[in-house]
């Protein structure tokens, strides 16, 4: 359960988020759509307590990000966009073990969970190799596993599909659907229109730091063709054109 | 918090040990650097200190000086008709022209001549000259102390064994430990600073640059534990590199000649040195880590750290020749300088418990203050996530 209340974020000379509010229920997947620099990553960073909002606040499973950041961190798992943020000199497994330990998991718990994730995202072949030898997609799979190693009930995934091949990408999204069935709360961002359309229950469009649209894709599918939908989304994302 | 700090500490060590660059700069280079420099500049000297037999020739054998020299274990008298040529070729290192009427002049108490020739272009010959002239002096001293009535009495002189070589050798061992006391503080300071700077740059700014800090801080881990874990790892590397410098130096002393340094340098003083190395390392670790957390990039952190290394060289050069008796209270209050003072006291056997406690206490205070600064920096998002 995520409740975002009037969040704004100012950096030195620009406003990255303007008065953003929305909420996400348990068992719901939210897709974040927006051009480069729209504020998607900034929003996810604020929810994960890595950045402080300039105004407003948010609650994760009832914990306020400003008042009890520690509880919030225990409840979330976050995948950051951009660099994988893995320790290059450690193996995939060592990376996962390190984060499991920091999250207070016992050796037995983490051993089982890591085994499960390695199988789920099929990287048994290189689980014990050092990360600096991995391709971008290989790193991405490990980074996602690392983000959710402690089995958090809220998952924030910034561009989880970046660098992944079709199969790996499908695996990730299928996994997200499974998590959704377990009642988990998920927000992901993506630049892939297809993935947003196929996997989000609701889509939030950010433009220059503002929410300009919240919609369910099923609403449109009844009235418009796939091509028309794509055109509308394109105008929405790129020009902030709300007339759809 | 301590448990989390330890988890981070061990993870950092694992990463450091897998990075050959840090390993080389931090441990192998300090281990070999000082000994190899000393071997290169002091190569000849190391040979000089080891006692060995010196070959000489004399102009005539029928006198008491010849007998005196023959009695010495470290002198061998070589027979030759062409001493000049032997000097040039290095077969002998000195040639002594002995007064033709030596023994008669001694009996009559008249001045006599002993002329030592050596090869000025040969290091070995020049060095052995000092030994031979040492014997000449010793020989002359005999006649200042005792007077001899008859030429037959001079036979006794031929039985006097002095073995100057051994005495000179033990004098040089003292020189070795003086050298040790002089340079060890400087090496500890320099290398604990250099050794911590690479690690600190990596663990602070480097981690920012690689984007690994965000995931770390998004876990339930306390920021104070992150800082502590990194401080411990950086300190550990500082201790390793400064101690490997000292061990490298010790090994040099042992194999180069100064055997009895081992007697002067026991487990206790090694332990005391270790404490001092930990102190100085934790201090530099804290400074370098603070810089690194503040810096935008690995490079920037390294640049700032170079300044610190240069600054740290000052007090160590300034105190190179300082006697421990000159240590006063104001020295004990200044960072770095105060640790140099106690290292000197430890090494020159004038350990002062009060000084030691004051310095340990002050350094704990400095490090604690720096720890608070780091913790504050870690909470500022514009420092931790500046782009
Ligand atoms: N640490 C920072 N300091 C200053 N400005 C920042 C910082 N992080 C982000 N910004 C600015 O905030 C705005 C939003 O950036 P953000 O990274 O959230 O965009 P995004 O939607 O994730 O873009 P992308 O699709 O490229 O990942 C941008 O204008 C960016 O320049
Ligand atoms: Mg982004």
């Amino acid at each position: 359960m995520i409740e975002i209340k009037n969040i704004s974020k100012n950096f030195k000379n620009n406003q990255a988020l303007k008065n953003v509010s929305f909420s996400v229920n348990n068992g719901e997947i939210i897709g974040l759509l927006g051009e480069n620099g729209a504020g998607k990553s900034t929003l996810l960073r604020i929810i994960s307590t890595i950045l402080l909002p300039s105004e407003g606040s948010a609650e994760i499973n009832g914990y306020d990000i400003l008042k009890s950041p520690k509880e919030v961190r225990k409840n979330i798992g976050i995948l950051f966009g951009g660099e994988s943020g893995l320790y290059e000199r450690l193996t995939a497994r060592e990376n996962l073990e390190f984060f499991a330990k920091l999250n207070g998991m016992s050796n037995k718990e983490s051993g089982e969970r890591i085994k499960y994730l390695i199988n789920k995202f099929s990287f048994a072949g290189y689980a014990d190799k050092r990360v600096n030898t991995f391709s971008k997609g290989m790193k991405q799979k490990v980074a996602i596993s690392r983000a959710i190693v402690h089995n958090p009930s809220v998952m924030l995934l910034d561009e989880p599909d970046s660098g992944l091949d079709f199969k790996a990408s499908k695996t990730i999204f299928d996994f997200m659907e499974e998590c959704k069935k377990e009642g988990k709360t998920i927000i992901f961002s993506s630049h892939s229109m297809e993935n947003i359309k196929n996997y989000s229950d609701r889509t939030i469009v950010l433009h220059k730091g503002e929410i300009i649209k919240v919609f369910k894709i099923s609403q449109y599918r009844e009235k418009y063709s796939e091509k028309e939908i794509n055109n509308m989304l394109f105008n929405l994302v790129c020009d902030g054109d709300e007339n759809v | 918090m301590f448990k989390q700090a330890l988890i981070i500490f061990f993870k950092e060590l694992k990463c450091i040990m897998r990075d050959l660059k840090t390993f080389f700069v931090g441990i192998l280079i300090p281990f070999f650097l000082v000994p190899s420099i000393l071997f290169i500049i002091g190569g000849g000297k190391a040979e000089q200190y080891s006692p060995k037999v010196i070959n000489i020739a004399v102009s005539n054998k029928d006198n008491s000086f010849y007998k005196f020299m023959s009695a010495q274990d470290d002198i061998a008298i070589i027979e030759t008709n062409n001493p000049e040529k032997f000097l040039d070729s290095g077969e002998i290192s000195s040639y002594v022209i002995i007064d033709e009427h030596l023994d008669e002049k001694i009996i009559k108490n008249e001045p006599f001549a002993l002329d030592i020739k050596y090869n000025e272009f040969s290091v070995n010959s020049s060095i052995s000259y000092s030994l031979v002239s040492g014997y000449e002096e010793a020989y002359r001293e005999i006649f200042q102390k005792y007077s001899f009535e008859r030429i037959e009495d001079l036979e006794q002189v031929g039985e006097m064994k002095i073995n100057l070589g051994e005495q000179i050798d033990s004098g040089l061992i003292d020189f070795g430990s003086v050298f040790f006391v002089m340079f060890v503080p400087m090496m500890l300071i320099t290398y604990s600073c250099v050794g911590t700077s690479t690690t600190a740059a990596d663990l602070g700014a480097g981690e920012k640059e690689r984007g690994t800090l965000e995931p770390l801080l998004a876990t339930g881990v306390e920021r104070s534990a992150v800082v502590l874990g990194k401080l411990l790892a950086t300190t550990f590397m500082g201790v390793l590199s400064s101690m490997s410098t000292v061990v490298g130096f010790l090994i040099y002393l042992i194999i180069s000649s100064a055997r009895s340094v081992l007697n002067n340098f026991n487990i206790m003083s090694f332990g005391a040195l270790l404490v001092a190395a930990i102190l100085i390392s934790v201090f530099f670790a804290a400074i370098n880590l603070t810089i690194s957390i503040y810096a935008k990039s690995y490079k920037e952190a390294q640049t700032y750290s170079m300044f610190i290394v240069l600054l740290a060289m000052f007090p160590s050069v300034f105190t190179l020749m300082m006697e421990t008796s000159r240590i006063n209270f104001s020295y004990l209050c200044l960072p770095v300088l105060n640790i140099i003072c106690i290292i000197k006291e430890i090494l020159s056997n004038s350990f002062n418990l009060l000084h030691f406690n004051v310095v340990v206490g002050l350094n704990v205070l400095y490090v604690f203050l720096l720890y608070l600064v780091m913790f504050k920096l870690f909470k500022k998002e514009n420092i931790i996530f500046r782009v």
Side-chain angles (χ1 to χ4, degrees), chain A residues 102-117:
Chain A
L102 286 182
N103 280 305
M105 295 168 81
S106 71
N107 281 347
K108 188 167 165 280
E109 272 178 307
S110 86
E112 280 168 13
R113 176 75 178 164
I114 290 169
K115 205 167 142 195
Y116 168 78
L117 290 170

Side-chain angles (χ1 to χ4, degrees), chain B residues 86-101:
Chain B
F86 271 45
L87 261 187
D88 280 345
S89 65
E91 271 160 281
I92 57 171
S93 44
S94 300
Y95 172 57
V96 190
I97 301 170
I98 303 174
D99 204 313
E100 284 205 25
H101 308 287

